Structures are given as structure tokens and as C-alpha cells.
């Protein structure tokens, strides 16, 4: 089937991103699927760098779903306070871990549908866990960087993350859904920043519809 101009553009962007960031991977630190799940929940409205400063002590004290589910709420809140929205995050972490124990035999589920049943888990978190814990490309992770750059590059006109994800899934091969997302995040952090995009240094500038 003939590729559309948008698909060709998306593939060209992906090719360049792979060249620019060949070793790009999830920047959260974790040792198990449940730890990745918790770290991703903590990363909401927070940088991965900050999360990685919090999780070593958190996981040293509460390394698995059972210990997190049974943790003292105030202790948990204190440990994650610096990630912001710590009360709600602590509630969701414990709710998710309790459900994992009760409904999934203590194992993080491996499908989008089941992950979305966990408190605090939407498609973004589920996509991260599926891709990096299990190697399953169920969708495109859409965070603030992916949203911003996809709009600037003209790959979507949508503003809703679910609609942006659907647009990107239609333009990219499934095996590259997470490859695209993780690399566009790197590019957003290093070059195409929200307030001060470095367009002169950007290798994607000739494909970009963004104007200062």
C-alpha cells in the first residue's frame, strides 16, 4: 500500500532520531516490572531525574508489590514527597499494588486492558510498562515532550494525548512505536525545549512546521 506524505515524513523523522540517539532507553531506574510501574506513576508532573533520586531509598525499603501495599502510608508519603502530588501518588501506588496482589497473583499484568484497571494507571504509564518491562508495543507513549514535538513537527493537530497517540500509531510501524517515543523525548529535553527550542541546531528543522 502506498505511503502517505505524512507517513513518509514520520519515517524520516524516526530515521533521524535513531541516528541522533542510538542508545536511547527509558531513563527511569528500576529492577522489576512493579518498580518500573511505581517509578512511572511517580514521574507524573515530575522529572525522571527527580524520580531517580527518590526510588533508591523507596525500593530499598519497599522492593515489591506486597511490601508497598502494606507500607505505612505516612512513611510512603514522606519518601515520595519531593515528586509532587505525593498524597495522591501514595494512594495510587498502594491501590495498584493491592490490586496486583489480589487480582493478578502478585504479578504486574501484561496487557493494556488489565493495566488500565490499576489505580493511577492511564495509557501513558501502561505503554511505558509494557514496552520496557515486557517488550510489548501496545501504543505510543505520549508525554509532554511527545505532545509538543508531534504538534510542532506537524504529525498531529490533536491536543488530547489519546488522539495524538492514535495519530502517531497510524503513521509509524508498530515495532517502532516506543522507539519513536523514547527518542522524541530525548530530543525534546536536549533540543526542542518548550520555551527555548534550539531550531538552529535541530536536525529535524527542515521537516518542522514550527515557527518561533
Amino acid at each position: 500500500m502506498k505511503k502517505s506524505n505524512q507517513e513518509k515524513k514520520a519515517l524520516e523523522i524516526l530515521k533521524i532520531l535513531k541516528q541522533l540517539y542510538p542508545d536511547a532507553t527509558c531513563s527511569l531506574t528500576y529492577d522489576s516490572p512493579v518498580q518500573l510501574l511505581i517509578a512511572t506513576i511517580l514521574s507524573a508532573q515530575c522529572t525522571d531525574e527527580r524520580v531517580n533520586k527518590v526510588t533508591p531509598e523507596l525500593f530499598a525499603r519497599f522492593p515489591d508489590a506486597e511490601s508497598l501495599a502494606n507500607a505505612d502510608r505516612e512513611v510512603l508519603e514522606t519518601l515520595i514527597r519531593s515528586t509532587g502530588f505525593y498524597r495522591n501518588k501514595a494512594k495510587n501506588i498502594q491501590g495498584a499494588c493491592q490490586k496486583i496482589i489480589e487480582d493478578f497473583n502478585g504479578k504486574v499484568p501484561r496487557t493494556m486492558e488489565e493495566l488500565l484497571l490499576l489505580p493511577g494507571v492511564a495509557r501513558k504509564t501502561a505503554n511505558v510498562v509494557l514496552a520496557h518491562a515486557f517488550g510489548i508495543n501496545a501504543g505510543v507513549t505520549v508525554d509532554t515532550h511527545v505532545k509538543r514535538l508531534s504538534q510542532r513537527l506537524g504529525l498531529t493537530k490533536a491536543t488530547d494525548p489519546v488522539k495524538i497517540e492514535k495519530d502517531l500509531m497510524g503513521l509509524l510501524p508498530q515495532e517502532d512505536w516506543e522507539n519513536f517515543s523514547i527518542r522524541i523525548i530525548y530530543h525534546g529535553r536536549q533540543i526542542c525545549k518548550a520555551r527555548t527550542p534550539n531550531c538552529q541546531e535541530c536536525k529535524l528543522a527542515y521537516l518542522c512546521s514550527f515557527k518561533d
Side-chain angles (χ1 to χ4, degrees):
M1 193 169 69
K2 188 176 180 181
K3 288 184 171 61
S4 68
N5 288 335
Q6 278 289 81
E7 286 178 288
K8 291 176 182 176
K9 182 178 182 179
L11 291 173
E12 181 72 8
I13 290 168
L14 176 64
K15 178 183 174 182
I16 294 168
L17 289 171
K18 285 182 175 181
Q19 293 169 349
L20 291 173
Y21 311 104
D23 301 318
T25 187
C26 179
S27 54
L28 293 168
T29 302
Y30 62 95
D31 289 324
S32 67
V34 74
Q35 289 187 6
L36 176 58
L37 172 66
I38 301 314
T40 308
I41 290 173
L42 291 175
S43 72
Q45 305 297 313
C46 182
T47 66
D48 289 358
E49 183 181 11
R50 165 55 56 187
V51 172
N52 287 339
K53 291 179 180 178
V54 166
T55 49
E57 184 177 357
L58 174 66
F59 294 150
R61 295 187 65 171
F62 308 113
D64 52 32
E66 185 174 1
S67 58
L68 282 161
N70 295 317
D72 181 277
R73 178 69 62 83
E74 289 187 6
V75 172
L76 184 57
E77 289 178 355
T78 299
L79 287 170
I80 68 171
R81 180 184 293 267
S82 65
T83 68
F85 304 98
Y86 62 93
R87 288 193 176 94
N88 194 50
K89 288 180 181 179
K91 178 183 176 182
N92 285 335
I93 286 169
Q94 291 201 295
C97 288
Q98 286 164 0
K99 195 165 186 66
I100 287 169
I101 292 166
E102 293 168 5
D103 296 350
F104 300 107
N105 297 315
K107 304 286 186 182
V108 175
R110 298 169 66 109
T111 69
M112 175 65 71
E113 293 73 20
E114 290 173 328
L115 279 167
L116 293 177
L117 297 174
L118 303 178
V121 176
R123 286 193 62 90
K124 174 188 148 187
T125 296
N127 276 325
V128 170
V129 171
L130 289 171
H132 296 284
F134 303 121
I136 299 169
N137 284 307
V140 179
T141 302
V142 178
D143 74 344
T144 55
H145 297 293
V146 176
K147 178 180 179 180
R148 181 177 73 254
L149 271 69
S150 296
Q151 291 169 338
R152 287 180 175 178
L153 288 163
L155 297 178
T156 183
K157 294 180 180 179
T159 56
D160 176 68
V162 175
K163 292 180 180 177
I164 292 171
E165 180 184 7
K166 185 177 180 181
D167 287 344
L168 295 175
M169 288 167 68
L171 294 173
L172 298 159
Q174 183 172 356
E175 63 267 22
D176 282 312
W177 285 350
E178 190 62 19
N179 283 330
F180 176 85
S181 179
I182 205 72
R183 285 166 173 80
I184 210 86
I185 289 170
Y186 273 58
H187 198 66
R189 288 172 179 163
Q190 296 183 25
I191 301 293
C192 192
K193 298 179 181 180
R195 296 181 182 176
T196 56
N198 189 354
C199 300
Q200 289 184 326
E201 297 295 324
C202 182
K203 303 298 185 185
L204 299 175
Y206 74 99
L207 293 164
C208 188
S209 17
F210 179 71
K211 299 290 186 291
D212 285 328

